[in-house]
Amino acid sequence: MSGSSSLPSRDACAAFVALAVLLASETTAWAAASARLVYDTAPTLDGCVDEAHMRQAIAVRLGYDPIDPAAPNALTISIVRTGEQLVADVTLANRDGQRGGSRSLQA
């Protein structure tokens, strides 16, 4: 493996986005029809999609846009680099902060 292939890339971020969207669709059944999106990527990660593109990817996957800034539930997606690995955390919580689902992915 070359040194550049171990660094976060546009393809690696895209893969995490796809996984995050999949996990979001799995946990949406627990949630009401909508949730606030809290999307965060580390500033050092070049090539990750912005929040608007993440929202669009979720809407395409679900067949509707479940993101509502006024919704009581929150879908939090965070992607960071730890050493040479990317770590994505996806959490769905209700208005009281009770988690309905949470996943952590590493690559």
Side-chain angles (χ1 to χ4, degrees), residues 67-83:
I67 306 303
D68 177 358
N73 297 321
L75 174 64
T76 303
I77 301 171
S78 174
I79 304 173
V80 298
R81 182 170 57 117
T82 302

Side-chain angles (χ1 to χ4, degrees), residues 88-105:
D89 291 311
V90 181
T91 303
L92 183 65
N94 67 15
R95 76 179 76 215
D96 299 323
Q98 178 185 2
R99 289 184 177 187
S102 180
R103 301 270 173 90
S104 184
L105 309 163

Side-chain angles (χ1 to χ4, degrees), residues 9-40:
S9 68
R10 187 178 236 9
D11 291 339
C13 282
F16 269 120
V17 168
L19 287 171
V21 169
L22 177 62
L23 293 174
S25 67
E26 288 179 2
T27 57
T28 299
W30 173 81
S34 63
R36 288 177 284 115
L37 177 61
V38 180
Y39 177 63
D40 183 42

